[in-house]
Amino acid sequence: MARYIDVHPENPQPRVIEQLVALLKDDALIALPTDSGYALVSRLDNHAGKDRILNIRDLDDKHHFTLLCKDFSQLGQFVKVDNHVFRSVKGVTPGPYTFVLEATREVPRRLMHPKKKTVGVRIPDHAIVHALVDAMGEPLMASTLILPGEEEPRSMGWDIKEELDHLVEAVVEAGECPATPTTVVDYSDGTPVVVRRGAGDPDRFEA
């Protein structure tokens, strides 16, 4: 059974964040609230985490995973960002956007797109995510918690606990979060292509 862990949405308790870090370092898969619905997260070196997420969401290996980053400095260690992209991304982060960019060698190959060698990155505007990523000292591997046959991410912890009780190790409860996924912008070819319109305003990335 999954642990059900209450965390203050604006001032996460340090002892609870420590519990979550310990779980992640023990290769747990956690349902975590963000500023755009819940996400399934694990540590980068959790080799089984990717396949577990793909199985839960019924996705193939071409799915773009996302790295949840603490800040722009950390994001820049894992993807290649030129000056033009830097200005565009910096202007909307933190916030509900995911950017697909060429990965650096810091990204485990199994998390890259198998052909493009790209990965999704984002800096959520959410206190719990910031606290957890900061305590981990590295980004979290993540995928929006949209279950098969559904179009919106889950937004209530109790609902996820009921549905995924034997498929994840923990569900973080911090009150209802938005049920609109991120806007995804693909910069892998140097120019922005909006591949999913979501919570973030896509107009600034469309010609």
Side-chain angles (χ1 to χ4, degrees):
M1 291 178 61
R3 295 178 61 180
Y4 196 57
I5 301 175
D6 277 298
V7 185
H8 194 283
E10 297 175 1
N11 298 292
Q13 309 92 312
R15 64 174 180 79
V16 181
I17 294 298
E18 289 176 6
Q19 291 175 19
L20 294 173
V21 167
L23 284 169
L24 287 167
K25 289 184 175 180
D26 198 31
D27 286 345
L29 189 61
I30 295 177
L32 186 72
T34 77
D35 55 345
S36 58
Y38 268 79
L40 293 169
V41 304
S42 72
R43 69 185 181 108
L44 292 183
D45 287 337
N46 182 348
H47 287 255
K50 173 184 174 180
D51 289 336
R52 292 179 64 190
I53 291 172
L54 292 177
N55 287 336
I56 289 171
R57 293 201 53 199
D58 193 22
L59 299 169
D60 62 31
D61 63 1
K62 295 180 178 62
H63 173 69
H64 262 115
F65 278 84
T66 298
L67 306 184
L68 300 183
C69 300
K70 178 180 70 172
D71 52 30
F72 211 91
S73 175
Q74 187 180 68
L75 180 149
Q77 298 174 34
F78 291 87
V79 289
K80 298 178 181 180
V81 184
D82 63 22
N83 289 335
H84 169 65
V85 175
F86 174 87
R87 289 192 295 270
S88 297
V89 175
K90 186 76 169 175
V92 296
T93 53
Y97 291 87
T98 298
F99 296 94
V100 178
L101 291 158
E102 183 180 352
T104 69
R105 294 180 180 178
E106 298 296 318
V107 178
R109 290 184 65 86
R110 68 182 185 282
L111 300 185
M112 298 180 191
H113 187 280
K115 292 184 178 179
K116 298 181 178 181
K117 308 307 179 190
T118 50
V119 70
V121 288
R122 85 181 198 91
I123 305 171
D125 186 13
H126 197 281
I128 295 174
V129 180
H130 284 196
L132 189 52
V133 173
D134 188 39
M136 285 292 291
E138 64 180 23
L140 294 172
M141 176 180 70
S143 180
T144 306
L145 182 41
I146 301 175
L147 294 176
E150 299 181 356
E151 297 182 357
E152 294 183 345
R154 292 298 177 102
S155 61
M156 299 292 291
W158 63 266
D159 183 41
I160 297 166
K161 173 74 162 68
E162 191 172 89
E163 184 108 13
L164 303 181
D165 201 23
H166 297 287
L167 297 176
V168 300
E169 278 69 50
V171 177
V172 173
E173 172 60 65
E176 186 172 6
C177 63
T180 305
T182 59
T183 290
V184 179
V185 183
D186 189 338
Y187 264 109
S188 57
D189 291 327
T191 56
V193 176
V194 176
V195 296
R196 182 176 71 194
R197 299 172 67 91
D201 181 8
D203 291 347
R204 63 192 299 149
F205 297 101
E206 295 179 321

